[in-house]
Each structure stands twice: as C-alpha cells, then as structure tokens.
Amino acid sequence: MSDKKSTEGIYTDFTNKMTYGEYLELDRLLTSQNRLSNHHDEMLFIIIHQVSELWMKLILHELRAAIRSIQTDKLATAFKMLARVSKIQSQIIQAWDVLSTLTPSEYMEFRAKLGQASGFQSYQYRMIEFALGYKTKHILAIYKKDPVLHQRLAEAFQSPSIYDAAILALNKHGFHIDQQLIERDYSVPYETNPTVEAAWLEVYKNVDQYWDLYQLAEKLVDIEDWLQQWRFRHMKTVERIIGHKPGTGGSAGVSYLKKVLDHRFFPELWDIRTKL
C-alpha cells in the first residue's frame, strides 16, 4: 500500500474540531512540571509523583464506585472495578523502579528546594487509606490550610470503607454480624470481630454456595496485597535514596514506612487462612 493510500481519510483540518491535545488538556498538563532548581533529575522526581497522583485519582474513582455497588448488592459490578484497581496498583509499584534511578547525590542537589513538602501529605493517598478503612484522625490537621480540601477529607473520614460495605454485605446475605458493627461509627478504626471472622470462614468453606462473597473477599485480598507491596517498594526506594534521614515533611522516614507495613486493612481475611 502506498503512503498516500494509507493516510487517506486522516483529518488534518481542525479549525472547527477538537484535537487530541485539547481533549486531554495537554497544554495545562505538560506545563505543570516546574522545577525549583536547575538540576536535571528534578524533572524525574516531579513527573513520577504527578503520574502516581493521576493513578491514585483513578483508584479513588473505582473504589468509590465499588463501595456503592457493594452497598446496593451489585457485587459482580464491583468485581470489575476492584480488578482494575489491582492493575493500577501494579503500575504505581513499577514507578518506584524508575524513581530508584535517582541516586542520593543527585537528590541532595535539589532536596532542600522541597521545603516541608512531602509525599506524606498526599491527600489522595490518605483518601485511599480512608476508603480501605485505615482512619487516622491526626492526619486531618495537615490539610487545614485548605478548608474545602479539609472538608472533603473529613467527609471521607466519616464514610464507610469498602470493608464496612463488605461486612454489611455479609449481613445482608444472612450471616450473623454483631449489631454494633452494623451501626458503628465509621471514623473509629476497625478492630477484628469474631462474627466477621466466622462469616468469612463459612464463605471460604462453602465457595460454591457463596461464590460472589468469596470473589469479593479475594478481590479485597488482592488490593491489600498490592498495597503492601507498594508500601514496601516505597520504603526501600526511600532507604536507597536518603537512608534513614527524616522525611521532608517531618516524618521519621524509613522507620515510619517500616511501621505501617505491619498494618492490616482486612484482618479476618488473612486470619482465616490459618484456620481453614
């Protein structure tokens, strides 16, 4: 096929038509990488974090929709969304491999320019933690500078997590769940409950009977597994670049990141594996 024939029909006149760049607002997107230093590698640092924030935006979009689907007993709809979250998580994990090409010497050339700005302050990451059930009230103080954002975070903090929605689904499907969990304050961190463990154990012992609940449980385990892998790669990348220095935002750095690796979002789903 000639070059002329292969390009026939391609639009070239966009005088009154929307272009690809306009649809994606690329002018705004690609002019948002503003280095505060003249160091070459600051561009890498900015782009990695911006891309991760875009992926987190999509994770939140999917998680919120999945929670609504579970609450309305549309479990099959939620499965697609949760599977997509897991795929997104794999992309974010791989981003650490790119950032780890930044050496300690290179990072020190522009680290001071960050001031107290830190990934620790990522409000989207906090919203993901809230959506998964990890509620830490003291974190909200970081966002008081922006009243609108603070209100959004406060609302997310008070809202049911995806695990709360899953527990209510167990109750709707006839499992006995403590009434205090059905009516609980969602801002209070979830603690392991024997009725929830018994329900999940029954689901795993009777997979054919409770196939949808079993699939929901496995999708949640996938997400927690990937998130812990993300946390581990985060910790190792930070250790590789700054060692055990404090974070720019005032956190303890690597020691803090190691500590959160011990946290579990969906404890009963892990405990039952020993008891099956």
Side-chain angles (χ1 to χ4, degrees), residues 33 42-53:
Q33 296 73 45
E42 189 182 356
M43 184 64 74
L44 161 69
F45 191 81
I46 292 170
I47 288 177
I48 285 291
H49 287 86
Q50 287 183 340
V51 169
S52 293
E53 290 292 336

Side-chain angles (χ1 to χ4, degrees), residues 115-150:
Q116 279 69 56
S118 166
F120 185 84
Q121 298 147 16
S122 169
Y123 71 85
Q124 290 198 121
Y125 178 71
R126 297 304 172 187
M127 284 185 170
I128 290 171
E129 287 188 330
F130 292 171
L132 297 180
Y134 186 39
K135 307 290 182 71
T136 48
K137 190 172 185 178
H138 69 277
I139 290 294
L140 294 176
I142 296 173
Y143 310 98
K144 285 184 177 179
K145 178 181 179 180
D146 185 336
V148 175
L149 176 57
H150 186 266

Side-chain angles (χ1 to χ4, degrees), residues 41 69 74 79 84 128 152 175 198 200 208 230 239 249:
D41 293 307
S69 294
K74 298 175 182 176
F79 297 158
R84 182 174 291 161
I128 290 171
R152 284 176 58 198
F175 290 96
W200 285 127
D208 292 340
W230 182 90
E239 185 176 22

Side-chain angles (χ1 to χ4, degrees), residues 68-164:
R68 290 193 297 269
S69 294
I70 295 167
Q71 289 171 330
T72 54
D73 206 29
K74 298 175 182 176
L75 299 186
T77 302
F79 297 158
K80 176 64 179 294
M81 298 162 183
L82 296 178
R84 182 174 291 161
V85 169
S86 292
K87 292 295 185 182
I88 298 166
Q89 288 175 297
S90 71
Q91 294 295 311
I92 296 180
I93 290 169
Q94 290 178 21
W96 293 120
D97 294 336
V98 183
L99 186 58
S100 66
T101 64
L102 181 69
T103 70
S105 298
E106 291 163 346
Y107 183 46
M108 288 305 110
E109 291 291 326
F110 62 86
R111 189 185 191 222
K113 295 290 186 180
L114 303 181
Q116 279 69 56
S118 166
F120 185 84
Q121 298 147 16
S122 169
Y123 71 85
Q124 290 198 121
Y125 178 71
R126 297 304 172 187
M127 284 185 170
I128 290 171
E129 287 188 330
F130 292 171
L132 297 180
Y134 186 39
K135 307 290 182 71
T136 48
K137 190 172 185 178
H138 69 277
I139 290 294
L140 294 176
I142 296 173
Y143 310 98
K144 285 184 177 179
K145 178 181 179 180
D146 185 336
V148 175
L149 176 57
H150 186 266
Q151 180 60 31
R152 284 176 58 198
L153 281 153
E155 290 173 1
F157 187 79
Q158 298 286 342
S159 299
S161 71
I162 197 164
Y163 200 48
D164 290 317

Side-chain angles (χ1 to χ4, degrees), residues 240-255:
R240 176 171 178 160
I241 295 174
I242 67 167
H244 289 263
K245 295 184 184 73
T248 50
S251 74
V254 168
S255 60

